[in-house]
Amino acid sequence: MNPLADALITPLASQNNTVLIRHDHKEISGIELYLLTSQIANVLKDSGVEPGHRVAMQTEKTVEALALYLGCLRAGALFLPLNTAYTPAEMKYFIDNAEPTVVVCDPKSEAALSEFTKPRGLKLLTLDSFGKGSLNDQILKAGTTFTNVARVPDDLAAILYTSGTTGRSKGAMLSHENLLSNANSLCEAWHFNSDDILLHSLPIFHVHGLFVAINVLMKAQGKIIFLPKFNVDQILEFLPKANSMMGVPTFYTRLLSDGRFTRNLTKHMRLFVSGSAPLLSETHRAFETRTGHRILERYGMTETTMNTSNPYDGERRAGTVGFPLPGVEARITDEKTGAILKSNEIGILEVRGPNVFKGYWRMPEKTKTEFREDGFFITGDIAQIDSEGYVAIVGRAKDLIISGGFNVYPKEIEIKIDALEGVMESAVIGAPHPDFGEAVIAVVVCAKGKITTAEKIQSALKVNLSNFKCPKAIFFLEGLPRNTMGKVQKNELRKQYEKTFHKK
Ligand code: MCA
Ligand code: AMP
């Protein structure tokens, strides 16, 4: 038994029909993809990967990268996908923390990454955006049969890093059961079956693109139009071939701002799903007015995969994330006392179910503080459940910015800004942004008698920090607003700078 491989990968072996359609229109059959996963599982085994070992990947989105995920499942390894925007300095932390046996990277970052993979004796393989590189060289020489490594539902399948309020990233450990139970629930909830063709333009290094989109379509044995990234022209080109799409709100606002995205173009579509960040009610309404489709919004987290979803058949209510998925329990508690609140009361959202992760990698103490004694996981999202059971996310207790679906924890950036020459302190906040929903801005106080500039700060940050985390605007103040306890009043700053990205 290998729960995920049995459910998602084994059926490919007898699928002669197309399962993936690439951006260049090349079609890949189930059998071809299955063969590739066998070869990759053999490459991993020959590279010393044993069950439970980690395999890290920071590459562009290719069929080979997807097959690496599937090959890891078959080999009993833990897949560790990493954002392509991470700089080598950021990558070093993940590699030190997760200690993968194999790291697969883009050839462009091979030299930088080998500086720390080599001394640690880790195997570094490359995979470029055309699927070529040293991983592919080994694939070509590898055996084409592989017997899946046996796994039980509680065994880990993946580690996905999520940043934290302390600025240190934590690896969320997800088991076979976590991922499979969610894929099963979503297939049922969203009526996916083998007739479906999903337009896939999300990255595959996060839960949304990988475990929601890929696992669900593979479980349903549907087809995936597998695009390297979100690009409006490409979406418009492939929409007529698809019947469903999943995306972050930025995808939908970008499509709406293009006149070619019409009711006619979307009339054959069965489903549009949104998640990872709040979908504004105005976007929900504008989408319906333009296309006649009501976007189905759902809610999840790296630690839990999907928790709630608006109904497929019932009312998809704008501004809500629907009902808990089958098997998932949700409740609202008082942030300070932990007391369970009644319907319509606002508090912290807690969830429990087979989807909830096994804890943070090598952080047992941190894991403990995020769970209640009765097994509920404290999400850190502020929510409300109405008398009909609809969950609405109304805010966040955690200091988190979600920009275009990517999470940014202010602390990580504040630490970096505060360490710069001429800076006394800083506060990093999110400001409403027409494209990204929220964008990162920094408010900086210069050190006494010293002066620095926004340009200096930007260029210093860009050396080691992912682009999406770098502030899109920097402001200077004489001092940060604080309450009587000395805590920085970020709400005041958010109000002061809320119009930063307003369209003129
Ligand atoms: C790119 N940039 C960004 C972002 N993406 N800045 C802030 N936020 C971003 N998300 C930077 C670029 O580096 C560039 O910087 C500038 O902004 C303009 O980039 P642009 O070309 O417009 O961006 P893009 O390449 O088109 O990407 C935008 C995107 C992408 C398509 C929205 O960010 C994306 O695919 N987001 C999806 C994220 C996602 O999958 N999240 C799911 C997480 P410069 O000008 O300096 O070069 S999973 C999750 O949250 C949970 C579990 C859930 O519920 O799903
Ligand atoms: P991550 O840790 O990257 O998985 O991000 C999870 C966070 O994204 C959640 O805790 C929420 O704050 C947010 N999120 C995901 N989906 C939604 C949604 N539909 N509406 C509002 N926030 C969301």
Side-chain angles (χ1 to χ4, degrees), residues 259-295:
R260 295 171 296 168
F261 184 68
T262 59
R263 183 173 284 252
N264 208 24
L265 192 74
T266 58
K267 68 172 188 285
H268 66 289
M269 291 289 281
R270 174 175 85 72
L271 183 64
F272 289 95
V273 177
S274 176
S276 308
L279 181 77
L280 296 179
S281 297
E282 72 188 60
T283 311
H284 194 277
R285 280 192 288 271
F287 199 88
E288 188 178 11
T289 307
R290 174 85 66 91
T291 66
H293 292 281
R294 287 177 82 84
I295 296 176

Coordinates of all heavy atoms in Angstrom, one line a residue, residues 259-295:
G259 N -10.5 43.2 -22.0 CA -11.7 43.3 -22.7 C -12.0 42.0 -23.5 O -13.2 41.7 -23.9
R260 N -11.0 41.2 -23.8 CA -11.1 40.0 -24.6 C -11.8 38.9 -23.7 O -12.2 37.8 -24.2 CB -9.8 39.5 -25.1 CG -9.2 40.4 -26.1 CD -7.8 40.0 -26.5 NE -6.9 40.1 -25.3 CZ -5.6 39.6 -25.2 NH1 -5.2 39.0 -26.3 NH2 -4.9 39.8 -24.1
F261 N -11.8 39.1 -22.4 CA -12.4 38.1 -21.5 C -13.9 38.3 -21.4 O -14.3 39.2 -20.7 CB -11.7 38.2 -20.1 CG -12.1 37.1 -19.2 CD1 -11.8 35.8 -19.3 CD2 -12.9 37.5 -18.0 CE1 -12.2 34.8 -18.4 CE2 -13.3 36.5 -17.1 CZ -12.9 35.2 -17.3
T262 N -14.6 37.5 -22.2 CA -16.0 37.8 -22.4 C -16.9 36.7 -22.0 O -16.4 35.5 -21.8 CB -16.3 38.1 -23.9 OG1 -15.9 36.9 -24.6 CG2 -15.6 39.3 -24.4
R263 N -18.2 37.0 -21.9 CA -19.2 35.9 -21.6 C -19.1 34.8 -22.6 O -19.2 33.6 -22.3 CB -20.6 36.6 -21.6 CG -21.7 35.7 -21.3 CD -23.0 36.5 -21.1 NE -23.0 37.3 -19.9 CZ -23.8 37.0 -18.9 NH1 -24.7 36.0 -18.9 NH2 -23.8 37.8 -17.8
N264 N -18.9 35.2 -23.9 CA -18.9 34.2 -24.9 C -17.7 33.2 -24.7 O -17.9 32.0 -24.9 CB -18.7 34.9 -26.3 CG -19.4 34.1 -27.4 OD1 -20.2 33.3 -27.1 ND2 -18.9 34.3 -28.6
L265 N -16.6 33.8 -24.3 CA -15.4 33.0 -24.2 C -15.5 31.9 -23.0 O -14.8 30.9 -23.0 CB -14.2 33.9 -23.9 CG -12.8 33.2 -24.0 CD1 -12.4 33.0 -25.5 CD2 -11.7 34.1 -23.4
T266 N -16.4 32.3 -22.1 CA -16.4 31.4 -20.9 C -17.7 30.7 -20.8 O -18.0 30.0 -19.8 CB -16.3 32.3 -19.6 OG1 -17.4 33.3 -19.6 CG2 -15.0 33.1 -19.5
K267 N -18.6 30.7 -21.8 CA -19.9 30.2 -21.6 C -19.9 28.6 -21.5 O -20.8 28.1 -20.9 CB -20.9 30.7 -22.7 CG -20.7 30.2 -24.1 CD -21.9 30.7 -24.9 CE -21.9 30.1 -26.3 NZ -20.9 30.7 -27.2
H268 N -18.9 28.0 -22.0 CA -18.8 26.5 -21.9 C -18.2 26.1 -20.5 O -18.2 24.9 -20.3 CB -17.9 26.0 -23.0 CG -16.5 26.4 -22.8 ND1 -16.1 27.7 -23.0 CD2 -15.4 25.8 -22.4 CE1 -14.8 27.8 -22.8 NE2 -14.4 26.7 -22.4
M269 N -17.7 27.0 -19.7 CA -17.0 26.6 -18.5 C -18.0 26.1 -17.5 O -19.1 26.6 -17.3 CB -16.2 27.8 -18.0 CG -15.1 28.3 -18.8 SD -13.7 27.1 -18.8 CE -12.9 27.5 -17.2
R270 N -17.4 25.1 -16.7 CA -18.2 24.5 -15.6 C -18.0 25.2 -14.3 O -18.8 25.3 -13.5 CB -17.9 23.0 -15.6 CG -18.5 22.3 -14.4 CD -18.2 20.8 -14.5 NE -17.0 20.4 -14.0 CZ -16.7 20.3 -12.6 NH1 -17.6 20.7 -11.8 NH2 -15.5 19.9 -12.2
L271 N -16.7 25.6 -14.1 CA -16.3 26.0 -12.7 C -15.1 26.9 -12.7 O -14.1 26.6 -13.3 CB -16.0 24.8 -11.9 CG -15.7 24.9 -10.4 CD1 -16.9 25.5 -9.6 CD2 -15.3 23.6 -9.7
F272 N -15.2 28.0 -11.9 CA -14.1 28.9 -11.6 C -13.9 28.8 -10.1 O -14.9 29.2 -9.4 CB -14.3 30.3 -12.0 CG -14.3 30.5 -13.5 CD1 -15.5 30.5 -14.3 CD2 -13.1 30.7 -14.2 CE1 -15.5 30.7 -15.6 CE2 -13.1 30.9 -15.6 CZ -14.2 30.9 -16.3
V273 N -12.7 28.5 -9.6 CA -12.5 28.4 -8.1 C -11.5 29.5 -7.8 O -10.5 29.7 -8.5 CB -12.0 27.0 -7.7 CG1 -11.6 27.0 -6.2 CG2 -12.9 25.9 -8.1
S274 N -11.7 30.1 -6.6 CA -10.7 31.1 -6.1 C -10.4 30.8 -4.7 O -11.2 30.4 -3.9 CB -11.3 32.5 -6.2 OG -10.4 33.5 -5.7
G275 N -9.1 31.1 -4.3 CA -8.7 30.9 -3.0 C -7.3 31.5 -2.8 O -6.7 32.1 -3.7
S276 N -6.7 31.3 -1.6 CA -5.4 31.7 -1.1 C -5.4 33.1 -0.6 O -4.4 33.5 0.1 CB -4.3 31.6 -2.2 OG -4.3 30.3 -2.8
A277 N -6.3 33.9 -0.9 CA -6.4 35.3 -0.5 C -7.9 35.7 -0.6 O -8.6 35.1 -1.4 CB -5.5 36.2 -1.3
P278 N -8.3 36.7 0.1 CA -9.7 37.1 0.0 C -10.1 37.6 -1.4 O -9.4 38.4 -2.0 CB -9.9 38.2 1.0 CG -8.5 38.5 1.7 CD -7.5 37.6 1.0
L279 N -11.2 37.1 -1.9 CA -11.8 37.6 -3.2 C -12.7 38.7 -2.8 O -13.7 38.5 -2.1 CB -12.5 36.4 -3.8 CG -13.1 36.7 -5.2 CD1 -12.0 36.7 -6.3 CD2 -14.2 35.7 -5.6
L280 N -12.5 39.9 -3.3 CA -13.4 41.0 -2.9 C -14.8 40.7 -3.5 O -14.9 40.2 -4.6 CB -12.8 42.3 -3.5 CG -11.5 42.8 -3.0 CD1 -11.1 44.1 -3.7 CD2 -11.5 43.0 -1.5
S281 N -15.8 41.2 -2.7 CA -17.1 41.0 -3.2 C -17.3 41.7 -4.5 O -18.1 41.2 -5.4 CB -18.1 41.5 -2.2 OG -18.0 40.8 -1.0
E282 N -16.6 42.8 -4.7 CA -16.8 43.5 -6.0 C -16.3 42.7 -7.2 O -16.8 42.8 -8.3 CB -16.2 44.9 -5.9 CG -14.7 45.0 -5.9 CD -14.1 46.4 -5.6 OE1 -14.4 46.9 -4.6 OE2 -13.4 46.8 -6.5
T283 N -15.2 41.9 -6.9 CA -14.7 41.1 -8.0 C -15.6 40.0 -8.3 O -15.9 39.6 -9.4 CB -13.3 40.5 -7.6 OG1 -12.5 41.6 -7.1 CG2 -12.6 39.8 -8.7
H284 N -16.2 39.4 -7.2 CA -17.2 38.3 -7.4 C -18.3 38.8 -8.2 O -18.7 38.1 -9.2 CB -17.7 37.9 -5.9 CG -18.4 36.6 -5.9 ND1 -19.7 36.5 -6.2 CD2 -18.0 35.4 -5.5 CE1 -20.1 35.3 -6.0 NE2 -19.1 34.6 -5.6
R285 N -18.8 40.0 -7.9 CA -20.0 40.5 -8.6 C -19.6 40.9 -10.1 O -20.3 40.6 -11.0 CB -20.5 41.8 -7.9 CG -21.4 41.4 -6.7 CD -22.2 42.5 -6.2 NE -21.3 43.5 -5.5 CZ -21.1 43.4 -4.2 NH1 -21.7 42.4 -3.5 NH2 -20.3 44.2 -3.6
A286 N -18.4 41.5 -10.2 CA -18.0 41.9 -11.6 C -17.8 40.7 -12.5 O -18.2 40.7 -13.7 CB -16.7 42.7 -11.5
F287 N -17.3 39.6 -11.9 CA -17.1 38.4 -12.6 C -18.5 37.8 -13.1 O -18.6 37.4 -14.3 CB -16.4 37.4 -11.8 CG -15.7 36.3 -12.6 CD1 -14.4 36.5 -13.0 CD2 -16.4 35.1 -12.8 CE1 -13.8 35.5 -13.8 CE2 -15.8 34.1 -13.6 CZ -14.5 34.3 -14.1
E288 N -19.4 37.9 -12.2 CA -20.7 37.3 -12.6 C -21.4 38.2 -13.6 O -22.0 37.7 -14.6 CB -21.6 37.2 -11.3 CG -22.9 36.5 -11.7 CD -23.9 36.4 -10.5 OE1 -23.7 37.0 -9.4 OE2 -24.9 35.6 -10.6
T289 N -21.2 39.5 -13.5 CA -21.9 40.4 -14.5 C -21.2 40.1 -15.9 O -21.9 40.1 -16.9 CB -21.6 41.9 -14.1 OG1 -22.1 42.0 -12.7 CG2 -22.3 42.8 -15.0
R290 N -19.9 40.0 -15.9 CA -19.2 39.8 -17.2 C -19.5 38.4 -17.8 O -19.7 38.3 -19.0 CB -17.7 40.0 -17.0 CG -16.8 39.7 -18.2 CD -16.7 40.9 -19.1 NE -16.0 42.0 -18.5 CZ -14.6 42.2 -18.5 NH1 -13.9 41.4 -19.2 NH2 -14.1 43.2 -17.9
T291 N -19.4 37.4 -16.9 CA -19.4 36.0 -17.5 C -20.7 35.2 -17.2 O -20.9 34.2 -17.9 CB -18.3 35.2 -16.9 OG1 -18.5 35.0 -15.5 CG2 -16.9 35.9 -17.1
G292 N -21.4 35.6 -16.2 CA -22.6 34.8 -15.8 C -22.2 33.7 -14.9 O -23.1 33.0 -14.4
H293 N -20.9 33.6 -14.5 CA -20.5 32.5 -13.6 C -20.2 33.1 -12.2 O -19.6 34.2 -12.1 CB -19.1 31.9 -14.0 CG -19.2 31.1 -15.3 ND1 -19.7 29.8 -15.3 CD2 -18.9 31.4 -16.6 CE1 -19.7 29.4 -16.5 NE2 -19.2 30.3 -17.3
R294 N -20.6 32.4 -11.2 CA -20.3 32.8 -9.8 C -19.1 32.1 -9.4 O -19.1 30.8 -9.4 CB -21.4 32.5 -8.9 CG -22.6 33.4 -9.0 CD -23.8 33.0 -8.1 NE -23.6 33.5 -6.8 CZ -24.0 34.7 -6.4 NH1 -24.5 35.5 -7.2 NH2 -23.8 35.1 -5.1
I295 N -18.0 32.8 -9.1 CA -16.7 32.1 -8.7 C -17.0 31.4 -7.4 O -17.7 31.9 -6.5 CB -15.6 33.2 -8.5 CG1 -15.3 33.9 -9.8 CG2 -14.4 32.5 -7.8 CD1 -14.2 35.0 -9.6

